[in-house]
Amino acid sequence: MRHLKQAFWLIILLPVFLWFLAEPAVFQSPSFFSLRKVIIQLTGIATLCYMSVAMVLALRPRWPEAWLGGLDKMYRLHKWLGITILLSAVIHWMWARGTKWAVDWGWITFSAGNGRGQEKKWGWLEHQTCGEQAGPDNGVAVFFHNQHCFAETAGEWAFYAVVVLIMLALLKRIPYHWFLKTHRLLAICYLALGFHATTLMKNSYWLSPVGWLVTVLLVFGSLAAVIAMLGKIGAGRQAPGKITSLHYFPGVKALEVEAEVDNWPGHKPGQFVFVTTDTAEGAHPYTLASSWQEEYPGITFIAKELGDHTALLRTKLHPGQSIRIEGPYGCFTFEDDRHCQIWIGGGIGITPFIARMKYLASIGKTQNWSTEQRIALFHSTADIDEEALDKLAQDSSSAYVQLHTLIDARDGYLTGERIRATVPGWRTASIWFCGPAGFGEALKKDFAAHGFPVERHFHQELFAMR
């Protein structure tokens, strides 16, 4: 999370800092309307930069995953940027349009201050005056100057679309497949906003560091937008698969799916994949519940009934059905040098721990804890399925993992105090949490209050793709 926050603030502040280098006298503007012109430039440039980075992150690139801590963290950054884009775009629009309304309503007294007549006030209030002949002799500059009116119109309508689409993305009541379909439209909006910014950005900026940054981000953002529009996100990490078996656990309303996968590169316990079972529905993320064995190119994932799509999977899927697997993703892979690990799986969040236990059993982990890592697993759940709990107990026994199962109605809720009382060496352990985000944050704050180094040794899977 530390790197995630650092990346977020770097993305937010870098365009602003470079813009101030290009406009060092911004606060010495002679009038409100002079200040308005440069603030419109700042908010427009910042919004475009943020949206460019968000577009690139949407491609699920490999290179920032390890530094940020996994694709789940990248999607959290993508979400934060989406909210920031919404705010900065609204501010940009209010400076552009709200000022005009304020003049009309008499809240602000208009004064051109540059010798132009009142009859041209709206042209003067724009980035440039629509319809005026271009001043520069440069052919490229003349072309872009003559596109100002069209660019302003395209940018305004793209802004309205962006606001609606981001709001829809933030509303979790919107079904996932509708979220995917509407979210792709943001790629078109981005290209329209890129044209808007390229045309209306102040010419002198292009030869300054802020212009160089905008150029680079525009190129990569536009490529990302085209890839998204073509539906090719993650295409290089996809493999065909076929379902071999299905098993339903009614007590926890979860479906275990086993599948053979061709040309699978392998995965580490704790990673997840995107699975497409229905092209119209799109790809859904699932944590893998199996360790990788090269001699058996198969995977297992568990789908809990959490929405319309997952609730119908057990009636739609069947052995022999073709599916598409994309991945693997994630850095929740239990790799550290701590002598003890504390695992906490809330509900369906137990899945990555099942995969890790199968891996430990496959490599022959022994009970000689003096030389190997000691592991305590806490599984907190509100649902009961005896078969699922029996399998969990078998997996933990095979991997020599100390299992502590807590049923909410029977044992009460899991707390940091209960964990510390059960694991005396918790101060020198690492904690791995997967489950409801609020539960994880509460445990993280509790352990931090007791002096545990949560920034380095509390690992939380942020398994939320929107």
Side-chain angles (χ1 to χ4, degrees):
M1 289 295 290
R2 182 175 71 253
H3 287 169
L4 181 63
K5 293 175 182 178
Q6 290 174 350
F8 174 73
W9 286 112
L10 176 63
I11 295 167
I12 296 302
L13 297 177
L14 181 60
V16 177
F17 172 74
L18 294 181
W19 178 84
F20 271 107
L21 293 181
E23 288 284 358
V26 57
F27 294 114
Q28 299 176 14
S29 299
S31 68
F32 172 81
F33 290 101
S34 297
L35 178 64
R36 170 190 177 271
K37 292 174 70 176
V38 292
I39 294 299
I40 287 176
Q41 289 284 322
L42 168 61
T43 53
I45 288 171
T47 302
L48 180 68
C49 290
Y50 305 154
M51 198 167 183
S52 299
V53 177
M55 288 300 306
V56 173
L57 291 176
L59 296 184
R60 304 195 272 268
R62 297 188 186 193
W63 52 270
E65 189 175 0
W67 188 75
L68 289 175
L71 183 63
D72 57 316
K73 310 301 188 298
M74 287 168 56
Y75 268 90
R76 180 61 60 91
L77 177 59
H78 180 84
K79 181 178 180 178
W80 289 352
L81 287 174
I83 296 172
T84 305
I85 291 164
L86 184 62
L87 294 175
S88 61
V90 169
I91 294 172
H92 177 77
W93 179 79
M94 287 300 298
W95 274 94
R97 291 298 178 194
T99 309
K100 295 181 179 183
W101 299 335
V103 171
D104 279 342
W105 298 335
W107 295 356
I108 299 176
T109 302
F110 178 83
S111 176
N114 60 353
R116 293 183 179 179
Q118 182 74 4
E119 69 278 1
K120 287 190 177 182
K121 71 174 182 178
W122 291 134
W124 184 78
L125 281 174
E126 297 295 346
H127 300 276
Q128 297 287 343
T129 303
C130 288
E132 283 190 355
Q133 295 300 314
D137 295 329
N138 183 284
V140 175
V142 170
F143 171 79
F144 281 111
H145 184 93
N146 292 336
Q147 303 301 314
H148 281 179
C149 286
F150 177 62
E152 288 172 358
T153 302
E156 183 172 0
W157 284 103
F159 159 76
Y160 298 139
V162 165
V163 170
V164 172
L165 292 173
I166 292 180
M167 291 297 293
L168 288 175
L170 295 174
L171 293 174
K172 294 190 177 181
R173 291 186 177 182
I174 303 296
Y176 187 78
H177 66 281
W178 282 113
F179 156 73
L180 285 180
K181 289 180 172 63
T182 57
H183 212 54
R184 284 183 181 176
L185 297 176
L186 282 169
I188 301 174
C189 297
Y190 172 80
L191 294 177
L193 291 174
F195 171 71
H196 172 84
T198 302
T199 304
L200 297 175
M201 195 169 85
K202 190 174 177 180
N203 290 337
S204 61
Y205 290 168
W206 291 109
L207 299 178
S208 68
V210 71
W212 305 338
L213 177 66
V214 169
T215 300
V216 172
L217 292 179
L218 264 175
V219 170
F220 284 100
S222 298
L223 288 174
V226 172
I227 292 172
M229 290 166 58
L230 295 175
K232 297 298 184 180
I233 293 178
R237 303 183 72 173
Q238 295 178 0
K242 182 178 293 184
I243 296 175
T244 56
S245 68
L246 301 167
H247 187 84
Y248 184 66
F249 298 94
V252 291
K253 297 181 179 179
L255 180 68
E256 183 182 74
V257 182
E258 294 185 8
E260 293 180 350
V261 187
D262 297 330
N263 301 317
W264 186 243
H267 62 269
K268 296 178 180 179
Q271 291 190 302
F272 64 92
V273 295
F274 287 89
V275 181
T276 302
T277 59
D278 181 352
T279 305
E281 178 68 26
H284 283 252
Y286 300 101
T287 299
L288 293 166
S290 59
S291 62
W292 171 247
Q293 300 177 33
E294 190 172 353
E295 62 276 12
Y296 175 70
I299 65 169
T300 301
F301 63 91
I302 300 175
K304 185 173 175 62
E305 296 179 4
L306 297 174
D308 295 340
H309 173 71
T310 49
L312 296 174
L313 278 181
R314 65 190 179 104
T315 61
K316 288 186 174 182
L317 302 186
H318 57 83
Q321 180 176 342
S322 296
I323 58 177
R324 188 167 67 248
I325 312 294
E326 178 193 331
Y329 294 103
C331 297
F332 193 82
T333 53
F334 308 96
E335 296 171 344
D336 65 23
D337 58 357
R338 307 291 274 183
H339 184 63
C340 175
Q341 288 188 346
I342 299 172
W343 298 352
I344 306 168
I348 194 62
I350 193 64
T351 307
F353 305 109
I354 294 174
R356 180 64 174 179
M357 288 189 294
K358 291 183 181 298
Y359 168 75
L360 293 177
S362 71
I363 64 173
K365 184 179 186 295
T366 70
Q367 201 171 4
N368 183 7
W369 287 344
S370 63
T371 58
E372 295 194 36
Q373 204 170 48
R374 298 189 63 172
I375 301 170
L377 168 59
F378 294 84
H379 176 42
S380 177
T381 178
D383 302 318
I384 304 175
D385 188 287
E386 294 299 336
E387 183 184 3
L389 292 177
D390 287 344
K391 292 186 68 173
L392 181 63
Q394 292 171 15
D395 287 335
S396 63
S397 177
S398 299
Y400 295 103
V401 170
Q402 295 178 340
L403 175 63
H404 307 274
T405 301
L406 291 87
I407 310 300
D408 292 350
R410 182 190 70 193
D411 306 306
Y413 296 115
L414 179 63
T415 63
E417 183 179 357
R418 297 181 74 165
I419 295 172
R420 290 188 291 272
T422 306
V423 185
W426 61 272
R427 292 185 182 276
T428 58
S430 61
I431 299 176
W432 299 78
F433 175 89
C434 186
F439 182 23
E441 288 301 319
L443 287 176
K444 186 175 181 178
K445 290 179 181 178
D446 181 82
F447 272 92
H450 285 78
F452 186 82
V454 293
E455 288 296 332
R456 288 183 291 125
H457 297 301
F458 191 103
H459 308 274
Q460 182 177 357
E461 181 79 289
L462 305 177
F463 202 70
M465 297 295 108
R466 55 183 295 195

